[in-house]
């Protein structure tokens, strides 16, 4: 079984639901307390053993590349002023040279198309996909939990979570069959179903472990709902001839691409923050009185 070393992070989206904040700042760079949302996703992936990150970017996303670069003047000034804690933090967060690749999605043709843009860098290895809109707060990182499941069952593994039935039309939804612990066998999946015909209330949460053959399928995948090339449609085809499992992870996800989801994420991470957590908790209490 090949190790999951590479991860694809699609970051080309406009972030229209949190405009105008995202007019000049990529939505992935919006701060959750003192770290960009994207940094939490990188931390999650690193914990799972990811060594190489492939960003599928678009126009106006230069801040992401800059964020992962060294900032010599800043580092010099922090060292001169004895601010070693933040200096050490920046050093830990800066990736090793050569561990990141950037590829452009030249036109917004959907998530499936974004993943396909990374095919040359993925080559013939299984890989992870993390949608950076979605932050997952958990004891053990969500992708680590999935890698644990993958080591047991192999094939393809996608994260799922139960949601209120009236929400299913916003997500990819699976058709679950047999369950063993957190691992669920499936007979299908569908993107943004009508609640009346949805196969379940188990939504796909934006974390995937995929075999490289998905790229061949995406190569000729027709546009699906919303006239976009959907990763879910390609996965449903891959399921016909490869092992495919859903994994019900332990943790709570936040959709930072929406106003309320972003706000909730800030509250959730602030209340557990090592420096401001205690004050944040009493502040939240004051607001709820
Ligand atoms: C994408 C996927 C969908 C998944 C969702 C998770 O949808 O297509 O299957 O459930 O992310 O956030 P999007 O949010 O891009 O519409």
């Amino acid at each position: 079984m090949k190790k999951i070393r590479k991860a694809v992070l699609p970051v080309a989206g406009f972030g229209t639901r949190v405009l105008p904040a995202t007019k000049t700042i990529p939505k992935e760079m919006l701060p959750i307390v003192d770290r960009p949302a994207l940094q939490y996703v990188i931390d999650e992936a690193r914990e799972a053993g990811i060594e190489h990150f492939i960003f599928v970017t678009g126009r106006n996303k230069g801040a992401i590349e800059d964020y992962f670069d060294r900032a010599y003047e800043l580092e010099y000034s922090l060292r001169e002023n004895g601010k070693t804690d933040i200096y050490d933090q920046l050093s830990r967060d800066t990736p090793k040279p050569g561990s990141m690749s950037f590829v452009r999605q030249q036109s917004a043709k959907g998530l499936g198309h974004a993943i396909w843009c990374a095919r040359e860098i993925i080559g013939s290895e299984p890989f992870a996909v993390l949608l950076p809109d979605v932050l997952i707060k958990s004891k053990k990182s969500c992708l680590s939990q999935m890698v644990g499941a993958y080591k047991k069952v192999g094939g393809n593994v996608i994260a799922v979570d139960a949601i209120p039935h009236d929400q299913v039309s916003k997500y990819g939804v699976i058709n679950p069959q047999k369950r063993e612990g957190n691992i669920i066998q499936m007979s299908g999946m569908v993107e943004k179903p009508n609640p009346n015909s949805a196969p379940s209330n188990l939504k796909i949460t934006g974390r995937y472990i995929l075999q490289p053959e998905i790229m061949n399928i995406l190569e000729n995948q027709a546009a699906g709902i919303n006239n976009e090339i959907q990763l879910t449609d390609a996965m449903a085809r891959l399921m016909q001839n490869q092992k495919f499992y859903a994994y019900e992870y332990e943790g709570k996800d936040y959709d930072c691409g929406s106003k309320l989801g972003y706000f909730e994420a800030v509250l959730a991470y602030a209340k557990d923050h090592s420096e401001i957590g205690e004050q944040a908790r009493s502040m939240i209490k004051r607001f709820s009185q």
Side-chain angles (χ1 to χ4, degrees):
M1 186 184 289
K2 282 192 188 162
K3 188 174 180 275
I4 311 297
R5 294 189 318 118
K6 296 179 183 172
V8 180
L9 292 93
V11 292
F14 291 133
T16 38
R17 290 180 294 163
V18 280
L19 274 169
T22 48
K23 192 173 167 192
T24 53
I25 305 169
K27 64 178 168 178
E28 299 79 11
M29 295 306 292
L30 293 176
I32 308 291
V33 190
D34 51 359
R35 292 159 86 67
L38 187 56
Q39 184 67 60
Y40 293 85
V41 181
I42 299 287
D43 293 348
E44 176 190 339
R46 275 195 176 148
E47 191 188 316
I50 298 298
E51 297 162 11
H52 193 103
F53 294 86
I54 303 156
F55 294 91
V56 182
T57 71
R59 267 183 287 281
N60 297 327
K61 297 284 181 166
I64 295 178
E65 228 167 309
D66 291 344
Y67 175 75
F68 290 113
D69 199 0
R70 300 274 308 264
Y72 289 102
E73 286 162 21
L74 175 64
E75 289 171 19
Y76 176 80
S77 153
L78 291 173
R79 267 205 315 268
E80 284 290 288
N81 294 306
K83 303 203 165 155
T84 45
D85 284 3
I86 185 67
Y87 174 82
D88 291 345
Q89 181 70 56
L90 289 187
S91 307
R92 279 196 300 275
D93 290 343
T94 306
K96 271 205 310 225
S99 64
M100 302 210 151
S101 303
F102 295 83
V103 53
R104 280 280 181 128
Q105 184 186 22
Q106 291 147 323
S107 44
K109 292 187 180 167
L111 177 60
H113 179 259
I115 304 305
W116 176 78
C117 289
R119 68 198 177 285
E120 297 282 346
I121 309 171
I122 290 298
S124 55
E125 292 181 40
F127 62 100
V129 174
L130 298 101
L131 306 190
D133 274 2
V134 182
L135 296 192
I136 304 180
K137 201 161 180 295
S138 52
K139 277 207 194 93
K140 183 175 180 183
S141 99
C142 178
L143 192 64
S144 297
Q145 298 175 41
M146 292 168 69
V147 166
Y150 170 76
K151 283 182 180 157
K152 279 194 209 142
V153 294
N156 302 265
V157 181
I158 56 173
V160 297
D161 184 38
I163 48 163
H165 202 86
D166 61 356
Q167 303 278 306
V168 291
S169 61
K170 293 200 276 184
Y171 300 99
V173 173
I174 65 156
N175 193 342
Q177 300 296 324
K178 229 175 92 197
R179 176 193 283 267
E180 240 174 80
N182 291 27
I183 300 173
I184 303 168
Q185 286 182 13
M186 300 175 280
S187 60
M189 58 180 87
V190 53
E191 184 65 20
K192 302 193 171 52
N194 185 310
N196 299 324
S197 56
S200 76
N201 68 335
L202 288 171
K203 75 155 196 300
I204 303 172
T205 302
R207 300 293 185 268
Y208 311 75
I209 291 174
L210 296 170
Q211 295 298 321
E213 289 75 22
I214 192 78
M215 296 299 190
N216 306 333
I217 296 182
L218 286 168
E219 176 96 28
N220 59 27
Q221 180 63 48
I225 195 149
N226 297 338
N227 202 26
E228 290 180 346
I229 297 172
Q230 297 292 351
L231 180 60
T232 304
D233 295 345
M235 294 194 299
R237 284 169 65 202
L238 186 60
M239 251 178 76
Q240 315 284 314
N241 44 36
Q242 277 196 9
K243 290 194 293 182
F244 223 118
Y245 303 92
Y247 180 81
E248 202 165 12
Y249 59 94
E250 274 146 39
K252 160 102 179 92
D253 61 290
Y254 300 93
D255 174 11
C256 293
S258 78
K259 291 180 189 58
L260 262 182
Y262 173 72
F263 177 61
E264 194 184 9
V266 172
L267 291 178
Y269 284 91
K271 83 177 181 39
D272 292 340
H273 192 278
S274 58
E275 188 186 322
I276 63 156
E278 208 178 314
Q279 285 159 290
R281 285 194 294 277
S282 50
M283 202 179 266
I284 292 167
K285 236 186 228 155
R286 274 208 307 280
F287 269 98
S288 54
Q289 273 159 11

